[in-house]
Amino acid sequence: MIIDAHRHYWDPSRLQYGWLAHAPATLQRAFLPPDMAATHDACILVQAAPDERETLFLFDLARQTDDVLGVVGWVDMEADDATQRIAALVEQGQGLLRGIRPMVQDIPDIEWLARPSLDRAFDCLRDHGLVFDALVDNRHLRALSHRLTRHPGLITVVDHAAKPNIADREFAEWASAIARVAQVPDVACKLSGLLTLTGTGADAAAIEPFVAHVFESFGGRRVMWGSDWPVLTTHASYEQWKALAQQLVRRFAPRHEAAVFGATAVATYSLNDCTTASGRTA
């Protein structure tokens, strides 16, 4: 079974997605399960709005869609009652909530992740067995490293390989910072979102050194594939990116295809019960 570890569904008629106002016009519409009817890969749905109501919306979609194995939602990590909010989402999800993703890349304070006021919320994620999805770029990796040292055992996934500046070939600083983060054993990385970082065209060759470094840093068992659909559609189709990713894994992490395209997501997001219940195997 292939698991897409990073898929979005959204509906701007129901909720506010502020970042969509600055996105390509092709993304400024609803993207929902019928749009992916031709694809039978299992997936994890990931939040796209800083709104707990969207997490509940994703729960509803997951209950209606056989291929959704779990949801990475959003909660106000700075709220005085953040721990209660997290507990409430766990209960409302009835097993669907697998992680929480604060939209760090959109927060003006690049040191936000290091704020001590967030300690209780991050401890709560760990205590509930939830994954912290880190939507960060190179500016945030130092603060991310500080955050991880405070919470041993917190399972963390770095989204989109921390969004390196591939278009301008800015490699060295990102490579050093992501390698430091990879030294923390409870951190995994998503092989996702890279084609959309290459500029106006989908430059497959441009992403190769970045992909190679991800595997060099994390190894083949701590990397999972994600589509970042529908953002991906500005540069490639779902099947085009999957085929390219399969080629890259065969090149840079041979014999780890099963891990990257399924087993790592199952282990990281604790999906064994989900795959068994759905009749799927990983």
Side-chain angles (χ1 to χ4, degrees):
M1 176 181 65
I2 288 179
I3 296 176
D4 174 3
H6 199 101
R7 188 181 300 177
H8 301 291
Y9 291 140
W10 61 64
D11 186 350
S13 71
R14 296 175 57 108
L15 292 161
Q16 290 286 332
Y17 299 83
W19 64 274
L20 272 180
H22 309 288
T26 56
L27 296 179
Q28 296 177 21
R29 67 169 180 88
F31 287 87
L32 296 167
D35 294 301
M36 291 293 280
T39 299
H40 301 292
D41 296 339
C43 71
I44 297 170
L45 294 187
V46 179
Q47 65 81 226
D51 191 326
E52 291 173 30
R53 293 174 299 173
E54 193 214 15
T55 303
L56 302 180
F57 172 56
L58 296 181
F59 289 161
D60 288 341
L61 291 179
R63 293 185 181 106
Q64 300 165 22
T65 311
D66 290 340
D67 60 8
V68 177
L69 300 180
V71 169
V72 174
W74 183 92
V75 71
D76 184 353
M77 302 278 282
E78 294 188 281
D80 291 339
D81 62 345
T83 58
Q84 292 95 321
R85 293 183 183 212
I86 292 167
L89 285 177
V90 169
E91 182 175 355
Q92 290 166 304
Q94 298 178 314
L96 285 169
L97 187 66
R98 298 292 163 167
I100 292 291
R101 185 173 86 147
M103 300 183 78
V104 178
Q105 69 172 11
D106 296 330
I107 297 172
D109 180 7
I110 63 172
E111 297 295 327
W112 180 85
L113 272 173
R115 292 183 182 180
S117 60
L118 298 171
D119 287 356
R120 289 194 312 119
F122 277 102
D123 281 339
C124 186
L125 296 187
R126 181 187 59 193
D127 295 345
H128 280 284
L130 297 173
V131 172
F132 164 43
D133 260 49
L135 177 59
V136 297
D137 59 40
N138 188 56
R139 299 169 300 159
H140 310 104
L141 291 177
R142 184 178 67 175
L144 176 61
S145 294
H146 289 316
R147 172 56 58 192
L148 297 178
T149 63
R150 295 182 188 173
H151 308 277
L154 174 66
I155 305 300
T156 299
V157 176
V158 178
D159 288 354
H160 314 321
K163 304 189 80 167
N165 186 351
I166 299 174
D168 294 329
R169 306 297 199 271
E170 293 182 1
F171 180 82
E173 184 179 352
W174 165 84
S176 177
I178 200 71
R180 285 195 300 272
V181 170
Q183 291 174 5
V184 181
D186 293 319
V187 178
C189 184
K190 285 184 185 176
L191 181 62
S192 61
L194 298 181
L195 280 181
T196 53
L197 300 173
T198 61
T200 55
D203 187 348
I207 73 173
E208 289 187 3
F210 296 87
V211 173
H213 186 68
V214 164
F215 283 112
E216 181 181 351
S217 300
F218 288 91
R221 296 189 179 277
R222 286 196 291 150
V223 177
M224 67 187 77
W225 176 76
S227 68
D228 196 26
W229 186 93
V231 180
L232 167 71
T233 61
T234 62
H235 284 65
S237 72
Y238 180 90
E239 293 298 335
Q240 286 171 334
W241 166 233
K242 182 167 67 173
L244 174 58
Q246 288 170 328
Q247 294 173 13
L248 292 168
V249 173
R250 285 193 292 268
R251 179 175 176 184
F252 297 115
R255 301 181 302 281
H256 289 95
E257 292 95 332
V260 175
F261 289 94
T264 298
V266 169
T268 303
Y269 289 100
S270 302
L271 298 175
N272 283 306
D273 291 344
C274 299
T275 55
T276 301
S278 66
R280 299 172 181 267
T281 57

